[in-house]
Amino acid sequence: MKNILITGGTGYIGSHTCLALLKRGFNLTIIDSNINSSSLSISRVKKILKDEYYDEKIVFFKGDIRDKKFLDEIFLNSIKQNNRIQGVIHFAGLKAVSESLFQPLVYWENNVYGSICLFEIMGKYDCKNIVFSSSASIYKNNSLKPILETSEIKPCTPYGQTKVAIENILEGIFKTSSNSWRIANLRYFNPIGAHESGLIGENPLSTPNNLFPIVCRVADGSICELQIFGNDWPTNDGTPVRDYIHIMDLAEAHCAGLDFLFKNKPQFINLNVGTGIGTSVLELVNKFMEVNNCRIPYKYSQKRLGDLPFVVAENKLITSILEWRPKRNIEQMCRDGWQWQKNNPNGF
Ligand code: NAD
Ligand code: UD1
């Protein structure tokens, strides 16, 4: 079976994707610096799979993608062990959007330079299949219409700019290498929730800024009140609308993306990964309270700088070319996310 390198594989999206890939039989080489995660997520993944068979299918190396010598040794060893790395899913990166505004250089250095190191070593070992974690934050959209892959790209934060830069680097690699690479940029909308076991989930090591982890902490009492940023947006209930996607649907999109690349000719493709369904902040909060039978005290406060009224994917492209469609609804996202938080209030 193919051996896939997962950078950032102990993080939130990485750990759920590792689980989905193992279920499909892939061998995994995981690397992570653990700057924003714990390698305990791998033990939990194994616990969910409950089978010693999987022990031999995962190897973990703690290290940084900016360390080319470290990457080189991993690729070389995989060849020596007759388990050559044939594809990469590249999650490793810093992702705190507001932090990137204050520390742009840290984001450029970690995300972009780190990606360049990875792509160089991939090329050296003739590993030319990659799925990259991009983001809906690259789009400029002030409208109330779903976003297409061809919509205007104009990120307003250094975080989003690093994602565009990495996509551009990959496009350059594709065009200048006799079109021999297979590259899929997956542009995620808003992943939330957790695996249904409640054993793995989002584990922000610093104070969370995103809505869903904050809602979970209000539900367990560790944050006393949710602040909803504005109630006079041009939406049905005045609160902003987002395209929330269950983390396991997102994980499965990576498996489908990889399958697609392996089965098809070399190409460079951008895909929105969302459900195409918009949910307002108020709708999400009400659904969370209803499904989990709990209280989320909230108050309206000022709008957050840089926020947008409506960010929803047009997902026709991904659902037409990949063997994938999102299967889990907002109720399940709220139920599974809360189950993880309730069972693991302090993370792993
Ligand atoms: P995460 O922080 O949980 O995972 C990222 C992982 O990368 C972490 O485990 C971190 O320790 C590791 N890492 C960071 N820099 C590294 C480096 N230089 N070398 C090795 N490991 C490094 O975040 P996540 O939510 O799982 O996001 C995964 C990817 O998806 C990121 O690239 C992120 O930008 C992107 N993304 C996330 C979202 C989201 O809402 N979570 C949305 C769009 C895109
Ligand atoms: C944010 C980032 C985006 C990134 C995404 C995933 C900004 C402006 N955008 O998107 O670039 O891709 O995270 O990491 O930071 N909200 C509240 N109260 C809160 C927190 C959030 O009302 O305490 C609202 C926000 O106004 C927003 C919605 O909840 O309308 C979702 O917020 P969030 O989870 O931060 O995601 P995005 O804003 O979509």
Side-chain angles (χ1 to χ4, degrees):
M1 199 39 165
K2 290 190 177 70
N3 182 16
I4 308 298
L5 175 68
I6 314 290
T7 74
T10 62
Y12 173 45
I13 308 174
S15 55
H16 290 80
T17 304
C18 286
L19 175 64
L21 289 165
L22 286 165
K23 279 191 178 165
R24 293 217 187 181
F26 286 104
N27 295 333
L28 303 184
T29 301
I30 301 171
I31 60 182
D32 202 302
S33 63
N34 291 144
I35 190 167
N36 194 38
S37 59
S38 159
S39 51
L40 286 174
S41 62
I42 299 174
S43 332
R44 295 284 186 90
V45 165
K46 289 183 183 166
K47 195 169 172 186
I48 295 169
L49 293 165
K50 285 191 200 113
D51 195 333
E52 284 171 14
Y53 158 79
Y54 289 104
D55 284 346
E56 289 175 9
K57 295 185 77 69
I58 318 177
V59 274
F60 171 64
F61 298 98
K62 182 167 171 170
D64 198 296
I65 56 166
R66 290 167 293 177
D67 181 347
K68 286 195 221 173
K69 196 163 163 276
F70 165 71
L71 290 179
D72 198 299
E73 275 167 17
I74 289 173
F75 274 87
L76 185 61
N77 277 333
S78 77
I79 293 169
K80 283 186 187 157
Q81 287 163 8
N82 217 8
N83 188 23
R84 193 173 76 83
I85 293 169
Q86 295 184 48
V88 173
I89 303 185
H90 177 29
F91 294 109
L94 299 175
K95 64 157 185 179
V97 179
S98 50
E99 183 185 65
S100 79
L101 291 164
F102 300 104
Q103 303 189 336
L105 265 185
V106 172
Y107 274 69
W108 284 97
E109 210 267 334
N110 190 75
N111 294 3
V112 180
Y113 174 66
S115 298
I116 291 172
C117 295
L118 174 68
F119 304 155
E120 248 180 65
I121 303 295
M122 286 177 69
K124 176 174 173 189
Y125 287 95
D126 203 29
C127 171
K128 296 181 172 178
N129 305 308
I130 181 165
V131 174
F132 168 60
S133 293
S134 191
S135 163
S137 62
I138 66 171
Y139 293 113
K140 171 194 186 207
N141 101 305
N142 290 320
S143 78
L144 298 178
K145 288 192 194 132
I147 301 172
L148 285 154
E149 284 81 358
T150 49
S151 295
E152 188 180 357
I153 306 284
K154 199 174 179 194
C156 58
T157 65
Y159 166 76
Q161 289 160 357
T162 67
K163 293 292 177 191
V164 176
I166 299 164
E167 286 195 3
N168 288 341
I169 291 169
L170 284 169
E171 189 170 17
I173 292 174
F174 178 74
K175 285 184 175 160
T176 54
S177 58
S178 327
N179 297 352
S180 57
W181 284 63
R182 292 175 172 80
I183 299 168
N185 295 315
L186 299 190
R187 296 172 176 168
Y188 315 150
F189 280 65
N190 291 56
I192 60 169
H195 183 258
E196 60 184 14
S197 63
L199 284 169
I200 53 173
E202 189 168 10
N203 179 34
L205 295 185
S206 49
T207 320
N209 292 309
N210 294 114
L211 178 65
F212 196 80
I214 293 176
V215 166
C216 289
R217 279 158 186 74
V218 176
D220 78 5
S222 52
I223 297 179
C224 55
E225 188 176 54
L226 169 71
Q227 291 191 44
I228 297 184
F229 300 141
N231 62 348
D232 59 351
W233 292 91
T235 58
N236 286 345
D237 62 22
T239 65
V241 170
R242 294 292 182 271
D243 184 337
Y244 297 99
I245 176 166
H246 194 291
I247 184 69
M248 286 312 298
D249 279 328
L250 179 60
E252 284 160 12
H254 290 83
C255 302
L258 213 49
D259 285 347
F260 174 81
L261 291 183
F262 283 128
K263 276 189 205 148
N264 288 283
K265 63 178 190 339
Q267 60 187 294
F268 174 86
I269 188 160
N270 300 316
L271 296 171
N272 284 345
V273 197
T275 61
I277 299 169
T279 304
S280 74
V281 174
L282 212 49
E283 283 168 340
L284 182 84
V285 169
N286 286 331
K287 194 54 83 181
F288 192 99
M289 291 196 279
E290 179 195 320
V291 168
N292 296 317
N293 194 22
C294 64
R295 276 189 65 244
I296 310 287
Y298 64 82
K299 72 166 185 222
Y300 293 109
S301 68
Q302 280 192 334
K303 286 180 180 163
R304 182 173 64 177
L305 198 67
D307 251 344
L308 297 165
F310 185 89
V311 184
V312 175
E314 172 54 80
N315 69 359
K316 282 204 184 90
L317 186 59
I318 186 167
T319 53
S320 64
I321 73 163
L322 301 191
E323 284 180 28
W324 176 86
R325 64 179 174 80
K327 296 186 199 115
R328 299 157 178 95
N329 60 19
I330 201 89
E331 279 89 357
Q332 193 162 352
M333 299 179 213
C334 291
R335 195 178 311 119
D336 294 343
W338 175 231
Q339 156 110 324
W340 152 257
Q341 177 69 27
K342 224 175 18 179
N343 296 348
N344 306 271
N346 303 314
F348 288 104

